[in-house]
């Protein structure tokens, strides 16, 4: 199987998993409308989806460093879908939290091993990892459309239909796993020995990822409700805002991988966070439909560093790639989910605008942390990409790995 065929299938599978991360925020307005939940109550859904991820994802990262577990990809994909499918079946808030938590565990178990496999399949290319991350962002973007079409048409009782992407994703990853298994058996996984770990830089990077998580997950949880308030209580306005927020992430991931090949990962991420400080302020304070422009710019700005942070973490901890992937990808979701109930409680006590205002500071903190990070040399993964004959179907103008 050609390299880019593998990356394409993994990217689509990633979309089928991350649609369930986006589905949690997409379901919030429907639970508010059908069950009259408060801001603090619905933010508990986001917390339930994120709480176990904050522990489970790094744990699976450690496990995949000790032993490859490719079977996690189809199993965790199904688990993520089943949890969301069951979320609207029962009227019990406790069962709702349990089902969303099950989905969160499935999504958390998927990411460390899938990132390891994507790195191996893409042979260390930042561009390949960017396309893999883009798949997840497309899944995020499709979530509000999928939930709106299914739940908007028939109410929460139709959530079992939302399991369909999980069925597709679990099937798509199977040929990739078989092909990579044959490649490993033939000795295709040979690579240079891992370099020395830079724990200090990895800690700084993790703090930046956590701050990014707070602003992005915070916006994801409440941007739909905020847009509905700003646009005359229009349900369509809320769905569009969430769709734009997620779709911009797909653009940002591809753009980040391309720019990093020219200017380096650290520099590109640093400037992206500096720009995001202003765009988040625009989301909160600019009135009228212009808010959508700032939502799009914020999404692009926050996602330009996303795949770059994954490969940076892997290069800062080259001896523990699974652990690095589990922590960077886990923090990208879990920390923001832990803070969401605080935002919800503040919104109940004051207003959504007041509760969202502190998010403006988070990209600035990321910018300061990235100013202290070095650009690590990207390790070689076997034969340089330019010398292979299996890259003929590569995406246009792939960026070279930063050295």
């Amino acid at each position: 199987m050609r390299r880019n065929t593998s990356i394409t299938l993994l990217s689509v599978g990633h979309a089928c998993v991350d649609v369930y991360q986006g589905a949690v925020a997409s379901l919030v307005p429907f639970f508010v409308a059908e069950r009259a939940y408060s801001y603090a109550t619905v933010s508990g859904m986001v917390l339930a989806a994120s709480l176990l991820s904050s522990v489970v994802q790094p744990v699976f990262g450690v496990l995949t460093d000790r032993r490859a577990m490719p079977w996690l990809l189809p199993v965790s994909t199904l688990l993520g879908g089943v949890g969301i499918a069951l979320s609207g079946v029962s009227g019990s808030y406790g069962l709702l939290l349990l089902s969303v938590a099950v989905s969160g565990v499935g999504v958390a178990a998927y990411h460390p091993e899938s990132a390891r496999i994507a790195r191996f399949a893409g042979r260390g290319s930042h561009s390949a990892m960017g396309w893999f991350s883009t798949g997840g962002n497309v899944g995020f973007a499709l979530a509000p459309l999928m939930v709106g079409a299914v739940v908007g048409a028939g109410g929460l009782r139709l959530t079992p239909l939302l399991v369909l992407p999980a069925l597709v994703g679990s099937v798509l990853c199977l040929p990739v796993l078989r092909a990579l298994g044959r490649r490993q058996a033939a000795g295709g996984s040979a690579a240079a020995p891992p370099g020395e770990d830079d724990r200090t830089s990895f800690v700084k990077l993790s703090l930046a990822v956590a701050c990014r998580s707070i602003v992005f997950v915070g916006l994801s949880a409440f941007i739909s409700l905020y847009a509905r308030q700003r646009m005359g209580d229009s349900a369509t306005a809320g769905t569009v805002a969430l769709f734009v927020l997620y779709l911009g992430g797909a653009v940002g991931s591809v753009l980040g991988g391309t720019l990093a090949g020219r200017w380096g990962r650290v520099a590109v991420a640093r400037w992206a966070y500096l720009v995001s400080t202003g765009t988040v302020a625009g989301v909160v304070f600019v009135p009228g439909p212009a808010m959508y422009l700032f939502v799009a710019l914020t999404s692009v700005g926050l996602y330009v560093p996303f795949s770059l942070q994954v490969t940076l973490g892997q290069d800062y901890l080259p001896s523990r790639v699974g652990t690095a992937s589990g922590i960077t990808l886990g923090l990208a979701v879990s920390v923001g989910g832990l803070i969401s109930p605080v935002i919800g409680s503040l919104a109940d006590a004051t207003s959504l605008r007041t509760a969202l205002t502190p998010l403006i500071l988070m990209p600035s903190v990321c910018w300061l942390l990235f100013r202290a990070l070095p650009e690590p040399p990207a390790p070689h993964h076997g034969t340089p990409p330019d010398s292979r004959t299996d890259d003929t179907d590569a995406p246009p103008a792939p960026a070279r790995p930063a050295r």
Side-chain angles (χ1 to χ4, degrees), residues 243-289:
F243 174 72
V244 170
L245 180 68
Y246 290 160
L247 184 63
V251 177
S253 290
V254 174
L255 187 62
T258 302
L259 296 177
R262 183 170 183 179
W263 287 293
R265 291 168 289 178
V266 172
V268 169
R270 186 168 62 238
W271 281 104
Y273 281 129
L274 184 61
V275 171
S276 297
T277 301
T279 61
V280 174
V283 172
V284 177
F285 292 111
V286 172

mmCIF file of all heavy atoms in Angstrom, residues 243-289:
data_model
loop_
_atom_site.group_PDB
_atom_site.id
_atom_site.type_symbol
_atom_site.label_atom_id
_atom_site.label_comp_id
_atom_site.label_asym_id
_atom_site.label_seq_id
_atom_site.Cartn_x
_atom_site.Cartn_y
_atom_site.Cartn_z
ATOM 1 N N PHE A 243 -20.002 24.869 13.107
ATOM 2 C CA PHE A 243 -19.456 24.299 11.875
ATOM 3 C C PHE A 243 -18.238 25.098 11.411
ATOM 4 O O PHE A 243 -17.208 24.530 11.033
ATOM 5 C CB PHE A 243 -20.533 24.290 10.796
ATOM 6 C CG PHE A 243 -20.034 23.856 9.444
ATOM 7 C CD1 PHE A 243 -19.698 22.527 9.208
ATOM 8 C CD2 PHE A 243 -19.890 24.773 8.406
ATOM 9 C CE1 PHE A 243 -19.231 22.116 7.957
ATOM 10 C CE2 PHE A 243 -19.430 24.373 7.170
ATOM 11 C CZ PHE A 243 -19.100 23.045 6.940
ATOM 12 N N VAL A 244 -18.332 26.422 11.446
ATOM 13 C CA VAL A 244 -17.214 27.275 11.034
ATOM 14 C C VAL A 244 -16.025 27.082 11.965
ATOM 15 O O VAL A 244 -14.869 27.012 11.516
ATOM 16 C CB VAL A 244 -17.651 28.758 11.007
ATOM 17 C CG1 VAL A 244 -16.447 29.684 10.809
ATOM 18 C CG2 VAL A 244 -18.671 28.984 9.899
ATOM 19 N N LEU A 245 -16.283 26.969 13.262
ATOM 20 C CA LEU A 245 -15.205 26.765 14.225
ATOM 21 C C LEU A 245 -14.454 25.474 13.935
ATOM 22 O O LEU A 245 -13.218 25.435 13.989
ATOM 23 C CB LEU A 245 -15.779 26.733 15.645
ATOM 24 C CG LEU A 245 -14.761 26.533 16.776
ATOM 25 C CD1 LEU A 245 -13.853 27.752 16.917
ATOM 26 C CD2 LEU A 245 -15.464 26.251 18.099
ATOM 27 N N TYR A 246 -15.172 24.414 13.621
ATOM 28 C CA TYR A 246 -14.531 23.125 13.364
ATOM 29 C C TYR A 246 -13.912 23.060 11.970
ATOM 30 O O TYR A 246 -12.851 22.476 11.782
ATOM 31 C CB TYR A 246 -15.541 21.995 13.540
ATOM 32 C CG TYR A 246 -15.965 21.772 14.976
ATOM 33 C CD1 TYR A 246 -17.151 21.103 15.273
ATOM 34 C CD2 TYR A 246 -15.195 22.230 16.040
ATOM 35 C CE1 TYR A 246 -17.549 20.882 16.584
ATOM 36 C CE2 TYR A 246 -15.589 22.019 17.342
ATOM 37 C CZ TYR A 246 -16.761 21.350 17.616
ATOM 38 O OH TYR A 246 -17.149 21.132 18.907
ATOM 39 N N LEU A 247 -14.583 23.647 10.972
ATOM 40 C CA LEU A 247 -14.068 23.577 9.610
ATOM 41 C C LEU A 247 -12.761 24.349 9.474
ATOM 42 O O LEU A 247 -11.845 23.919 8.758
ATOM 43 C CB LEU A 247 -15.106 24.124 8.626
ATOM 44 C CG LEU A 247 -14.724 24.028 7.141
ATOM 45 C CD1 LEU A 247 -14.576 22.553 6.738
ATOM 46 C CD2 LEU A 247 -15.769 24.713 6.273
ATOM 47 N N GLY A 248 -12.643 25.464 10.162
ATOM 48 C CA GLY A 248 -11.403 26.227 10.114
ATOM 49 C C GLY A 248 -10.221 25.423 10.605
ATOM 50 O O GLY A 248 -9.074 25.649 10.179
ATOM 51 N N GLY A 249 -10.478 24.461 11.484
ATOM 52 C CA GLY A 249 -9.405 23.609 11.977
ATOM 53 C C GLY A 249 -8.785 22.769 10.878
ATOM 54 O O GLY A 249 -7.572 22.525 10.870
ATOM 55 N N ALA A 250 -9.602 22.311 9.919
ATOM 56 C CA ALA A 250 -9.073 21.527 8.800
ATOM 57 C C ALA A 250 -8.119 22.366 7.964
ATOM 58 O O ALA A 250 -7.057 21.902 7.542
ATOM 59 C CB ALA A 250 -10.230 21.007 7.944
ATOM 60 N N VAL A 251 -8.489 23.626 7.728
ATOM 61 C CA VAL A 251 -7.618 24.530 6.978
ATOM 62 C C VAL A 251 -6.338 24.793 7.758
ATOM 63 O O VAL A 251 -5.231 24.767 7.200
ATOM 64 C CB VAL A 251 -8.353 25.856 6.689
ATOM 65 C CG1 VAL A 251 -7.432 26.837 5.969
ATOM 66 C CG2 VAL A 251 -9.607 25.602 5.868
ATOM 67 N N GLY A 252 -6.469 25.022 9.060
ATOM 68 C CA GLY A 252 -5.308 25.337 9.881
ATOM 69 C C GLY A 252 -4.296 24.210 9.944
ATOM 70 O O GLY A 252 -3.082 24.450 9.908
ATOM 71 N N SER A 253 -4.762 22.971 10.018
ATOM 72 C CA SER A 253 -3.843 21.836 10.111
ATOM 73 C C SER A 253 -3.007 21.676 8.849
ATOM 74 O O SER A 253 -1.795 21.458 8.911
ATOM 75 C CB SER A 253 -4.617 20.545 10.395
ATOM 76 O OG SER A 253 -5.129 20.558 11.705
ATOM 77 N N VAL A 254 -3.643 21.772 7.686
ATOM 78 C CA VAL A 254 -2.911 21.671 6.426
ATOM 79 C C VAL A 254 -1.941 22.842 6.285
ATOM 80 O O VAL A 254 -0.782 22.676 5.883
ATOM 81 C CB VAL A 254 -3.888 21.627 5.239
ATOM 82 C CG1 VAL A 254 -3.122 21.662 3.918
ATOM 83 C CG2 VAL A 254 -4.756 20.384 5.305
ATOM 84 N N LEU A 255 -2.406 24.026 6.625
ATOM 85 C CA LEU A 255 -1.570 25.220 6.525
ATOM 86 C C LEU A 255 -0.361 25.119 7.456
ATOM 87 O O LEU A 255 0.756 25.485 7.075
ATOM 88 C CB LEU A 255 -2.408 26.456 6.866
ATOM 89 C CG LEU A 255 -1.751 27.820 6.664
ATOM 90 C CD1 LEU A 255 -1.391 28.017 5.189
ATOM 91 C CD2 LEU A 255 -2.692 28.922 7.133
ATOM 92 N N GLY A 256 -0.580 24.601 8.662
ATOM 93 C CA GLY A 256 0.519 24.476 9.613
ATOM 94 C C GLY A 256 1.617 23.558 9.104
ATOM 95 O O GLY A 256 2.805 23.890 9.195
ATOM 96 N N GLY A 257 1.239 22.396 8.570
ATOM 97 C CA GLY A 257 2.239 21.473 8.054
ATOM 98 C C GLY A 257 3.019 22.061 6.892
ATOM 99 O O GLY A 257 4.226 21.843 6.754
ATOM 100 N N THR A 258 2.347 22.842 6.043
ATOM 101 C CA THR A 258 3.011 23.460 4.893
ATOM 102 C C THR A 258 3.968 24.568 5.332
ATOM 103 O O THR A 258 5.117 24.628 4.879
ATOM 104 C CB THR A 258 1.958 24.031 3.927
ATOM 105 O OG1 THR A 258 1.085 22.975 3.510
ATOM 106 C CG2 THR A 258 2.619 24.654 2.709
ATOM 107 N N LEU A 259 3.500 25.458 6.216
ATOM 108 C CA LEU A 259 4.337 26.566 6.667
ATOM 109 C C LEU A 259 5.539 26.094 7.469
ATOM 110 O O LEU A 259 6.618 26.686 7.404
ATOM 111 C CB LEU A 259 3.501 27.538 7.505
ATOM 112 C CG LEU A 259 2.358 28.261 6.786
ATOM 113 C CD1 LEU A 259 1.583 29.133 7.765
ATOM 114 C CD2 LEU A 259 2.902 29.107 5.641
ATOM 115 N N ALA A 260 5.354 25.012 8.236
ATOM 116 C CA ALA A 260 6.443 24.517 9.074
ATOM 117 C C ALA A 260 7.620 24.035 8.235
ATOM 118 O O ALA A 260 8.778 24.114 8.669
ATOM 119 C CB ALA A 260 5.954 23.388 9.971
ATOM 120 N N GLY A 261 7.345 23.521 7.033
ATOM 121 C CA GLY A 261 8.422 23.075 6.167
ATOM 122 C C GLY A 261 9.306 24.218 5.713
ATOM 123 O O GLY A 261 10.456 23.996 5.320
ATOM 124 N N ARG A 262 8.798 25.442 5.772
ATOM 125 C CA ARG A 262 9.572 26.601 5.321
ATOM 126 C C ARG A 262 10.182 27.389 6.465
ATOM 127 O O ARG A 262 11.329 27.827 6.385
ATOM 128 C CB ARG A 262 8.665 27.514 4.487
ATOM 129 C CG ARG A 262 9.375 28.718 3.907
ATOM 130 C CD ARG A 262 8.495 29.447 2.903
ATOM 131 N NE ARG A 262 9.202 30.571 2.298
ATOM 132 C CZ ARG A 262 8.691 31.370 1.377
ATOM 133 N NH1 ARG A 262 7.458 31.150 0.922
ATOM 134 N NH2 ARG A 262 9.384 32.373 0.878
ATOM 135 N N TRP A 263 9.401 27.588 7.539
ATOM 136 C CA TRP A 263 9.864 28.458 8.617
ATOM 137 C C TRP A 263 10.105 27.737 9.941
ATOM 138 O O TRP A 263 10.561 28.363 10.900
ATOM 139 C CB TRP A 263 8.859 29.597 8.844
ATOM 140 C CG TRP A 263 8.906 30.622 7.758
ATOM 141 C CD1 TRP A 263 9.937 31.471 7.471
ATOM 142 C CD2 TRP A 263 7.869 30.913 6.808
ATOM 143 N NE1 TRP A 263 9.615 32.264 6.401
ATOM 144 C CE2 TRP A 263 8.354 31.955 5.971
ATOM 145 C CE3 TRP A 263 6.606 30.408 6.577
ATOM 146 C CZ2 TRP A 263 7.598 32.485 4.926
ATOM 147 C CZ3 TRP A 263 5.845 30.921 5.539
ATOM 148 C CH2 TRP A 263 6.345 31.947 4.731
ATOM 149 N N GLY A 264 9.780 26.459 10.036
ATOM 150 C CA GLY A 264 9.982 25.725 11.278
ATOM 151 C C GLY A 264 8.725 25.688 12.121
ATOM 152 O O GLY A 264 7.914 26.613 12.107
ATOM 153 N N ARG A 265 8.585 24.605 12.870
ATOM 154 C CA ARG A 265 7.363 24.397 13.643
ATOM 155 C C ARG A 265 7.182 25.398 14.770
ATOM 156 O O ARG A 265 6.095 25.944 14.984
ATOM 157 C CB ARG A 265 7.368 22.974 14.209
ATOM 158 C CG ARG A 265 7.202 21.893 13.169
ATOM 159 C CD ARG A 265 7.507 20.526 13.736
ATOM 160 N NE ARG A 265 8.930 20.375 13.995
ATOM 161 C CZ ARG A 265 9.484 19.291 14.522
ATOM 162 N NH1 ARG A 265 8.723 18.268 14.865
ATOM 163 N NH2 ARG A 265 10.784 19.221 14.702
ATOM 164 N N VAL A 266 8.246 25.669 15.507
ATOM 165 C CA VAL A 266 8.136 26.564 16.667
ATOM 166 C C VAL A 266 7.770 27.973 16.234
ATOM 167 O O VAL A 266 6.872 28.611 16.819
ATOM 168 C CB VAL A 266 9.450 26.555 17.476
ATOM 169 C CG1 VAL A 266 9.411 27.625 18.567
ATOM 170 C CG2 VAL A 266 9.684 25.180 18.094
ATOM 171 N N ALA A 267 8.435 28.488 15.202
ATOM 172 C CA ALA A 267 8.158 29.853 14.744
ATOM 173 C C ALA A 267 6.734 29.982 14.224
ATOM 174 O O ALA A 267 6.027 30.956 14.524
ATOM 175 C CB ALA A 267 9.159 30.248 13.657
ATOM 176 N N VAL A 268 6.280 29.007 13.448
ATOM 177 C CA VAL A 268 4.922 29.061 12.897
ATOM 178 C C VAL A 268 3.883 29.006 14.014
ATOM 179 O O VAL A 268 2.911 29.777 14.017
ATOM 180 C CB VAL A 268 4.716 27.901 11.900
ATOM 181 C CG1 VAL A 268 3.238 27.761 11.524
ATOM 182 C CG2 VAL A 268 5.557 28.118 10.647
ATOM 183 N N ALA A 269 4.067 28.116 14.972
ATOM 184 C CA ALA A 269 3.115 28.012 16.083
ATOM 185 C C ALA A 269 3.103 29.292 16.913
ATOM 186 O O ALA A 269 2.037 29.760 17.342
ATOM 187 C CB ALA A 269 3.474 26.822 16.964
ATOM 188 N N ARG A 270 4.271 29.865 17.126
ATOM 189 C CA ARG A 270 4.354 31.087 17.938
ATOM 190 C C ARG A 270 3.553 32.221 17.305
ATOM 191 O O ARG A 270 2.765 32.908 17.981
ATOM 192 C CB ARG A 270 5.824 31.479 18.094
ATOM 193 C CG ARG A 270 6.041 32.660 19.040
ATOM 194 C CD ARG A 270 7.513 32.820 19.390
ATOM 195 N NE ARG A 270 8.327 33.098 18.211
ATOM 196 C CZ ARG A 270 9.353 32.337 17.813
ATOM 197 N NH1 ARG A 270 9.666 31.241 18.480
ATOM 198 N NH2 ARG A 270 10.048 32.668 16.758
ATOM 199 N N TRP A 271 3.728 32.444 16.008
ATOM 200 C CA TRP A 271 2.997 33.517 15.340
ATOM 201 C C TRP A 271 1.501 33.218 15.264
ATOM 202 O O TRP A 271 0.665 34.123 15.362
ATOM 203 C CB TRP A 271 3.577 33.737 13.944
ATOM 204 C CG TRP A 271 4.843 34.526 13.968
ATOM 205 C CD1 TRP A 271 6.120 34.078 13.812
ATOM 206 C CD2 TRP A 271 4.956 35.932 14.204
ATOM 207 N NE1 TRP A 271 7.018 35.097 13.932
ATOM 208 C CE2 TRP A 271 6.334 36.257 14.173
ATOM 209 C CE3 TRP A 271 4.042 36.949 14.446
ATOM 210 C CZ2 TRP A 271 6.797 37.557 14.364
ATOM 211 C CZ3 TRP A 271 4.500 38.246 14.636
ATOM 212 C CH2 TRP A 271 5.864 38.534 14.589
ATOM 213 N N ALA A 272 1.144 31.951 15.105
ATOM 214 C CA ALA A 272 -0.277 31.592 15.056
ATOM 215 C C ALA A 272 -0.967 31.941 16.368
ATOM 216 O O ALA A 272 -2.105 32.452 16.376
ATOM 217 C CB ALA A 272 -0.432 30.104 14.749
ATOM 218 N N TYR A 273 -0.311 31.679 17.478
ATOM 219 C CA TYR A 273 -0.914 31.997 18.776
ATOM 220 C C TYR A 273 -0.996 33.502 19.002
ATOM 221 O O TYR A 273 -1.956 33.990 19.611
ATOM 222 C CB TYR A 273 -0.117 31.333 19.897
ATOM 223 C CG TYR A 273 -0.436 29.861 20.058
ATOM 224 C CD1 TYR A 273 0.580 28.900 20.108
ATOM 225 C CD2 TYR A 273 -1.750 29.426 20.155
ATOM 226 C CE1 TYR A 273 0.287 27.553 20.254
ATOM 227 C CE2 TYR A 273 -2.050 28.084 20.297
ATOM 228 C CZ TYR A 273 -1.023 27.149 20.344
ATOM 229 O OH TYR A 273 -1.332 25.820 20.483
ATOM 230 N N LEU A 274 -0.024 34.242 18.523
ATOM 231 C CA LEU A 274 -0.072 35.695 18.682
ATOM 232 C C LEU A 274 -1.268 36.274 17.927
ATOM 233 O O LEU A 274 -2.009 37.112 18.452
ATOM 234 C CB LEU A 274 1.232 36.315 18.171
ATOM 235 C CG LEU A 274 1.372 37.834 18.368
ATOM 236 C CD1 LEU A 274 1.334 38.195 19.850
ATOM 237 C CD2 LEU A 274 2.672 38.324 17.731
ATOM 238 N N VAL A 275 -1.494 35.793 16.711
ATOM 239 C CA VAL A 275 -2.643 36.251 15.922
ATOM 240 C C VAL A 275 -3.951 35.828 16.588
ATOM 241 O O VAL A 275 -4.936 36.585 16.610
ATOM 242 C CB VAL A 275 -2.553 35.692 14.490
ATOM 243 C CG1 VAL A 275 -3.845 35.966 13.718
ATOM 244 C CG2 VAL A 275 -1.361 36.299 13.759
ATOM 245 N N SER A 276 -3.972 34.637 17.178
ATOM 246 C CA SER A 276 -5.197 34.115 17.788
ATOM 247 C C SER A 276 -5.663 34.951 18.974
ATOM 248 O O SER A 276 -6.866 34.979 19.277
ATOM 249 C CB SER A 276 -4.991 32.660 18.236
ATOM 250 O OG SER A 276 -4.735 31.829 17.128
ATOM 251 N N THR A 277 -4.750 35.624 19.632
ATOM 252 C CA THR A 277 -5.141 36.485 20.756
ATOM 253 C C THR A 277 -6.140 37.539 20.298
ATOM 254 O O THR A 277 -7.161 37.784 20.946
ATOM 255 C CB THR A 277 -3.909 37.160 21.371
ATOM 256 O OG1 THR A 277 -2.991 36.154 21.826
ATOM 257 C CG2 THR A 277 -4.303 38.047 22.543
ATOM 258 N N GLY A 278 -5.864 38.147 19.147
ATOM 259 C CA GLY A 278 -6.771 39.162 18.626
ATOM 260 C C GLY A 278 -8.063 38.591 18.076
ATOM 261 O O GLY A 278 -9.137 39.177 18.245
ATOM 262 N N THR A 279 -7.975 37.423 17.444
ATOM 263 C CA THR A 279 -9.189 36.867 16.839
ATOM 264 C C THR A 279 -10.166 36.348 17.889
ATOM 265 O O THR A 279 -11.383 36.444 17.697
ATOM 266 C CB THR A 279 -8.829 35.739 15.862
ATOM 267 O OG1 THR A 279 -8.167 34.682 16.543
ATOM 268 C CG2 THR A 279 -7.928 36.254 14.742
ATOM 269 N N VAL A 280 -9.667 35.808 18.998
ATOM 270 C CA VAL A 280 -10.564 35.372 20.077
ATOM 271 C C VAL A 280 -11.302 36.579 20.657
ATOM 272 O O VAL A 280 -12.504 36.515 20.960
ATOM 273 C CB VAL A 280 -9.792 34.620 21.177
ATOM 274 C CG1 VAL A 280 -10.715 34.304 22.365
ATOM 275 C CG2 VAL A 280 -9.202 33.321 20.633
ATOM 276 N N ALA A 281 -10.592 37.695 20.796
ATOM 277 C CA ALA A 281 -11.249 38.918 21.267
ATOM 278 C C ALA A 281 -12.353 39.333 20.302
ATOM 279 O O ALA A 281 -13.428 39.793 20.718
ATOM 280 C CB ALA A 281 -10.216 40.037 21.410
ATOM 281 N N GLY A 282 -12.123 39.137 18.997
ATOM 282 C CA GLY A 282 -13.149 39.459 18.018
ATOM 283 C C GLY A 282 -14.378 38.584 18.165
ATOM 284 O O GLY A 282 -15.515 39.052 18.014
ATOM 285 N N VAL A 283 -14.176 37.304 18.454
ATOM 286 C CA VAL A 283 -15.309 36.398 18.659
ATOM 287 C C VAL A 283 -16.183 36.881 19.806
ATOM 288 O O VAL A 283 -17.421 36.874 19.728
ATOM 289 C CB VAL A 283 -14.808 34.960 18.932
ATOM 290 C CG1 VAL A 283 -15.974 34.057 19.343
ATOM 291 C CG2 VAL A 283 -14.114 34.388 17.702
ATOM 292 N N VAL A 284 -15.545 37.305 20.876
ATOM 293 C CA VAL A 284 -16.286 37.675 22.085
ATOM 294 C C VAL A 284 -16.971 39.025 21.946
ATOM 295 O O VAL A 284 -18.112 39.208 22.402
ATOM 296 C CB VAL A 284 -15.334 37.670 23.306
ATOM 297 C CG1 VAL A 284 -16.082 38.124 24.573
ATOM 298 C CG2 VAL A 284 -14.741 36.281 23.522
ATOM 299 N N PHE A 285 -16.317 39.996 21.275
ATOM 300 C CA PHE A 285 -16.802 41.377 21.345
ATOM 301 C C PHE A 285 -17.346 41.955 20.043
ATOM 302 O O PHE A 285 -18.124 42.909 20.088
ATOM 303 C CB PHE A 285 -15.673 42.292 21.853
ATOM 304 C CG PHE A 285 -15.295 42.042 23.284
ATOM 305 C CD1 PHE A 285 -14.067 41.494 23.605
ATOM 306 C CD2 PHE A 285 -16.183 42.323 24.320
ATOM 307 C CE1 PHE A 285 -13.714 41.244 24.920
ATOM 308 C CE2 PHE A 285 -15.846 42.081 25.643
ATOM 309 C CZ PHE A 285 -14.608 41.536 25.948
ATOM 310 N N VAL A 286 -16.954 41.428 18.881
ATOM 311 C CA VAL A 286 -17.429 42.025 17.632
ATOM 312 C C VAL A 286 -18.887 41.636 17.411
ATOM 313 O O VAL A 286 -19.227 40.446 17.418
ATOM 314 C CB VAL A 286 -16.557 41.560 16.445
ATOM 315 C CG1 VAL A 286 -17.174 42.014 15.126
ATOM 316 C CG2 VAL A 286 -15.147 42.120 16.583
ATOM 317 N N PRO A 287 -19.778 42.593 17.185
ATOM 318 C CA PRO A 287 -21.213 42.279 17.051
ATOM 319 C C PRO A 287 -21.579 41.842 15.639
ATOM 320 O O PRO A 287 -20.827 42.039 14.677
ATOM 321 C CB PRO A 287 -21.879 43.620 17.385
ATOM 322 C CG PRO A 287 -20.872 44.644 16.938
ATOM 323 C CD PRO A 287 -19.515 44.038 17.186
ATOM 324 N N GLY A 288 -22.761 41.224 15.529
ATOM 325 C CA GLY A 288 -23.333 40.911 14.234
ATOM 326 C C GLY A 288 -22.674 39.738 13.526
ATOM 327 O O GLY A 288 -21.849 39.007 14.093
ATOM 328 N N PRO A 289 -23.023 39.559 12.259
ATOM 329 C CA PRO A 289 -22.491 38.432 11.478
ATOM 330 C C PRO A 289 -20.982 38.428 11.334
ATOM 331 O O PRO A 289 -20.391 37.401 10.996
ATOM 332 C CB PRO A 289 -23.170 38.615 10.108
ATOM 333 C CG PRO A 289 -24.406 39.410 10.384
ATOM 334 C CD PRO A 289 -24.044 40.324 11.509
#
